[in-house]
Amino acid sequence: MTRTIDRHALSHLRLLEAEAIHIIREAAAEFDNPVLMYSIGKDSSVLARLAFKAFAPAPVPFPFLHVDTTWKFQQMYAFRERFARENNIRLIVHTNQEGIEANINPFTAGSQVHTDVMKTQGLKQALSKYGFDAAFGGARREEEKSRAKERIFSFRDEFHQWDPKNQRPELWNVYNGRIRKGQSVRVFPMSNWTELDIWQYIHIEQIPVVPLYFARPRPVVEREGTLILVDDDRMPLHPGEQPRQETVRFRTLGCYPLTGAIKSTARTIPDIIREMMVTRLSERQNRLIDFDEDGSMEKKKREGYF
Amino acid sequence: MTRILERSDGSHLAERELIENDIEAFLEANLRKELLRFTTVGSVDDGKSTLIGRLLHDSKGVYDDQLKDATLTSSTGEGVVDFARLTDGLRAEREQGITIDVAYRYFSTPKRKFIIADTPGHVQYTRNMATGASTANVALILIDARLGVLEQSRRHGFIAHLLGIPHLLVCVNKMDLVAYDAEVYHQIVKTFSDFCEELSFRSVQFVPVSALLGTNVVDRAPESTPYYDGPSVLEYLETVEIKGDINLSDFRFPVQYVLRPNLHYRGFAGQIASGIVKVGDEIAVLPSGKTTRITHIDTYDGELEEAFAPMSISLRLSDEIDISRGDLIVPVSAPLLRGRRVDAMLVWMSETSLDPGKTYLLKHMTRLIRTNVASVRWRLDLERLERDASVEGLGLNDIGLVQLDVHSELCFDPYHDNRASGAFILIDSLTNTTVAAGMLQGLTDENEISEARRGSQVSAEERRVRLGHEGGILALGGPNVSDLLKVAWAIERRLFDEGVLAAVTTEPEIARALRAAGLFAVLCGSAEEALNYSISDGEAASDRLDATISAILDRARASGLLA
């Protein structure tokens, strides 16, 4: 494994790794009740590995939280259970029961309402319920324009809201973890990673990821130009709509009715990296929620979406 | 994402071919890339966003949908890419048409990976500049060729120097608007080089560019600037030597976290701030000063014989000594500075001005301690780059030299010797916001403390334990001296009854000596100390005296001056 460029210089990836470990330890030391936001996706898998590295040989001193909308891909649930079991993770799964009772789902409520109720509100409920004062997330600054200015320790008020105009200055690697009761901080150890960094790290570290990232023949329907996987029998088919087998994979994972597949033949991580390098699409282009309205990610973040 | 460079030398083709035909070889080469962090400093109209947009665009660091966004909504004409729009992040900024906070951008070339901290350069945004500068290897400064070297160009250069950025890249922009005139370019180079003579950069490079047209940005443009034979902006960024930017000579290891998975294992986790450590090294733990030896250097991936900055590791030691978060592990004979009175440069970042009576929290590496700002020696006049010694406080975006009275001993290196162990932040203990970035300069000159304190063999801690409180100065002012004394004597009585040893004086020198002795000095009518309270007419009257004293003491307690 390439750790150094020459005798006393770290390669960029090991530099980012060292930085992330420092951030995780710093937050774990300064907060009373931190939690790791676990979304089952590739960024979460990297974040988890970095947390293992930060505390080895001791176990990770905080739980993992999955805010479950109940609409994730079945393979994601299977992966989550196995991951928690094999790594001895204290996993908390939280679902917004009010949303379930109101029968909020992506098909009838629409992506915006579904995401707000099941994800944003669900997350806030969980953070309040368990009294978490710091939440680690796998978000990266290069993902989306409004994230380019996010702090590594990102302050949230009593209502879990982010105020982009009123962020704490952040210098060197000296982080300010001081908050009052009820306030919290989102911590983003992978702020400076790019998607290529993520995949290359997964590759050299041999980190397991959900098989949906790799191309396989899968049953899909095409809606408004987006390929949607028919993942379970809750998916209402339009009249005359017939799922067809396509060799597809997913660049990002979320709720299956809201996550578009791409046609691909990438079966290995190097395949994926090659495909990614040759394609020029934004990471979130295949997530429908970003196209609801102008500046929608910034709006969601102000309201508490991760 | 697809950050393949299109350049005339064909290097982008080699990388693209590698990606398409031998991805494993590409990944292997990619793993060996160095990371360079640079910050861009410029003013609203000098084309900074355009230059960054151009770098990202020409190195394919922009997503197609972002490019579409910047093209469609452009105000500069149909079908034209507004490069500045590629880097403007938040809505509010788009509305104002300026970047108001630090934005981070990422791109790579076959040679290096880059992180840009893009900061706006108005005088009122010194704090953003300082933020971007704090982690940068290179500061990229733009000078408008039509306007020449302005005060703000000097200001940007000075702040980059102050924050200890090793390398300076000066882009003389908008050369197309002066017809690529060699005379104009050389005049700017001469003027700014003279200015940089006095600053501490390891290297300074000038490039004549047109960000809008891409001249000398990615590829060299000898046809436009035949008088220039240096690198393009990107070539410079790819090749400037940065290995020496990390201090590898002085081992400093701030303990972040103690790992105790079982009774047999005790590891001290942290990121090496500077220097190199080997198994077997003799080390000292500060501030206790206890010494021991390194027995293991641990990582998740196995044990190491040697580790260096900025690796994140865990250390195991041969003796079981008491070590906790905030302690600093250094070589036994490290020439570290240690003291409670230190001089530091502050960049003030809060809307609320520095309050000399207030106690702040100081975070230095992994340690959080309380501090008072004993005095502001001078504020930097950013217009003239001169010291202004007439001020008593610092406001938003001010830079100044202060003397700190830290409540427990600080172990550090001067910032210009070691950025990692010389940097700190100040936090407001009530609002918890970060109010200042600090750069430690050294211990306060003993001559400037007080004659009487020099050589004292009684520590402040011993005094505190004996007396039950810390020393302090409460400065009262007002038009009527007899009123002041009346209030001061009443405060002295009240504090004495409450168990605080207080004494009244009208001499600042005596007040400082009293504070050094651990007593609480009530100083009347001195212009030297910033006032904690101003007594107005009538406040010393017998029927109001009690209320006045209570108000003064409440304020002293709220600010942390009194426990």
Side-chain angles (χ1 to χ4, degrees), chain A residues 6 8 11-12 18-19 22 26 30 53 148-149 170 172 175-176 192 197 200 277 279 281 294, chain B residues 1-2 27 30-31 37 91 93 104 106 113 131 134 243 256 301 306 312 325 363 415 432 434:
Chain A
D6 60 24
H8 290 132
S11 76
H12 71 271
E19 175 185 85
H22 172 259
E26 206 59 10
E30 294 216 341
K53 289 199 175 197
K149 304 194 170 183
E170 201 163 72
W172 301 289
Y175 304 106
N176 176 357
N192 288 323
D197 296 328
Q200 185 144 31
M277 296 293 289
T279 319
L281 288 170
D294 182 42
Chain B
M1 196 160 347
T2 312
L27 290 173
N30 190 54
L31 265 187
R37 296 179 197 242
R91 265 186 192 190
E93 290 166 31
Y104 295 88
Y106 304 82
K113 305 212 39 152
T131 302
S134 69
K243 284 200 177 68
Q256 273 192 293
D301 301 296
E306 177 186 270
S312 283
R325 173 173 166 82
K363 189 171 179 192
Y415 184 77
N432 290 326
T434 304

Side-chain angles (χ1 to χ4, degrees), chain B residues 300-314:
Chain B
Y300 173 93
D301 301 296
E303 288 190 33
L304 301 172
E305 275 302 304
E306 177 186 270
F308 54 90
M311 289 167 68
S312 283
I313 53 163
S314 302

Side-chain angles (χ1 to χ4, degrees), chain A residues 1-19 21-23 25-26 28-30 49 52-59 61 141-151 162 164-165 167-180 183 191-197 200 203-205 251 270-271 273-274 276-283 285 291 293-296 298-299 302, chain B residues 1-4 16 19-21 23-24 26-28 30-35 37 60 62-66 69 85-94 96 99-106 113 115 127 130-131 134-135 163 243 248 256-257 259-261 265 269-271 276 299-301 306 308-314 325 349 361 363-366 368 415 419 423-425 427 429-434 437-439:
Chain A
M1 184 179 357
T2 308
R3 176 165 283 276
T4 58
I5 300 168
D6 60 24
R7 204 165 121 77
H8 290 132
L10 289 181
S11 76
H12 71 271
L13 208 49
R14 294 302 168 195
L15 209 66
L16 293 173
E17 179 191 60
E19 175 185 85
I21 291 172
H22 172 259
I23 293 162
R25 286 169 173 168
E26 206 59 10
E30 294 216 341
R49 171 63 59 90
F52 298 155
K53 289 199 175 197
F55 303 103
R141 284 173 177 153
E142 68 132 24
E143 274 180 276
E144 205 265 343
K145 273 198 282 185
S146 82
R147 284 201 161 137
K149 304 194 170 183
E150 179 92 56
R151 300 297 190 265
W162 182 62
K165 298 272 286 219
Q167 301 195 77
R168 292 175 176 176
E170 201 163 72
L171 297 102
W172 301 289
N173 61 352
V174 188
Y175 304 106
N176 176 357
R178 305 278 301 180
I179 51 166
R180 263 182 261 164
Q183 299 170 337
S191 286
N192 288 323
W193 295 50
T194 64
E195 194 180 19
L196 175 58
D197 296 328
Q200 185 144 31
H203 188 48
I204 61 173
E205 291 279 322
R251 298 188 60 241
D271 285 350
I273 294 174
R274 178 171 43 216
M276 180 186 81
M277 296 293 289
V278 191
T279 319
R280 264 180 244 157
L281 288 170
S282 170
E283 162 107 278
Q285 187 117 55
F291 290 106
E293 59 178 290
D294 182 42
S296 70
E298 186 190 336
K299 186 163 172 290
R302 283 166 178 274
Chain B
M1 196 160 347
T2 312
R3 281 136 216 239
I4 307 166
R16 180 174 295 173
I19 290 166
E20 285 179 6
N21 300 322
I23 189 72
E24 296 282 1
F26 163 77
L27 290 173
E28 192 54 38
N30 190 54
L31 265 187
R32 276 193 290 273
K33 286 179 189 171
E34 268 180 318
L35 181 68
R37 296 179 197 242
K60 300 288 176 281
V62 181
Y63 303 131
D64 279 356
D65 54 343
Q66 289 175 353
D69 193 33
R85 268 198 72 115
L86 293 172
T87 58
D88 287 348
L90 302 177
R91 265 186 192 190
E93 290 166 31
R94 259 188 242 169
Q96 290 178 20
T99 45
I100 52 168
D101 202 344
V102 185
Y104 295 88
R105 305 283 160 193
Y106 304 82
K113 305 212 39 152
I115 299 179
R127 67 167 169 183
T131 302
S134 69
T135 50
L163 269 291
K243 284 200 177 68
L248 287 176
Q256 273 192 293
Y257 203 94
L259 298 169
R260 280 225 88 154
Y265 187 97
Q271 183 174 23
I276 299 169
T299 73
Y300 173 93
D301 301 296
E306 177 186 270
F308 54 90
M311 289 167 68
S312 283
I313 53 163
S314 302
R325 173 173 166 82
M349 304 190 144
L361 294 167
K363 189 171 179 192
H364 174 242
M365 299 201 271
T366 57
L368 193 68
Y415 184 77
R419 270 166 118 182
F424 66 91
I425 58 171
I427 300 169
S429 55
L430 292 177
T431 63
N432 290 326
T433 52
T434 304
M439 289 145 284

Side-chain angles (χ1 to χ4, degrees), chain B residues 50-65:
Chain B
T50 307
L51 180 67
I52 299 311
R54 173 62 77 171
L55 273 178
L56 292 172
H57 176 262
D58 288 3
S59 64
K60 300 288 176 281
V62 181
Y63 303 131
D64 279 356
D65 54 343

Side-chain angles (χ1 to χ4, degrees), chain A residues 175-228:
Chain A
Y175 304 106
N176 176 357
R178 305 278 301 180
I179 51 166
R180 263 182 261 164
K181 205 169 159 50
Q183 299 170 337
S184 60
V185 164
R186 306 279 165 91
V187 181
F188 301 113
M190 290 140 60
S191 286
N192 288 323
W193 295 50
T194 64
E195 194 180 19
L196 175 58
D197 296 328
I198 295 287
W199 279 118
Q200 185 144 31
Y201 193 71
I202 289 170
H203 188 48
I204 61 173
E205 291 279 322
Q206 301 181 312
I207 298 171
V209 291
V210 182
L212 291 163
Y213 287 114
F214 302 101
R216 300 277 186 278
R218 296 184 170 101
V220 295
V221 294
E222 188 169 339
R223 289 184 180 170
E224 290 158 31
T226 303
L227 294 175
I228 301 293

Side-chain angles (χ1 to χ4, degrees), chain B residues 273-284:
Chain B
S274 61
I276 299 169
V277 64
K278 295 185 195 68
V279 170
D281 282 357
E282 301 280 340
I283 55 98

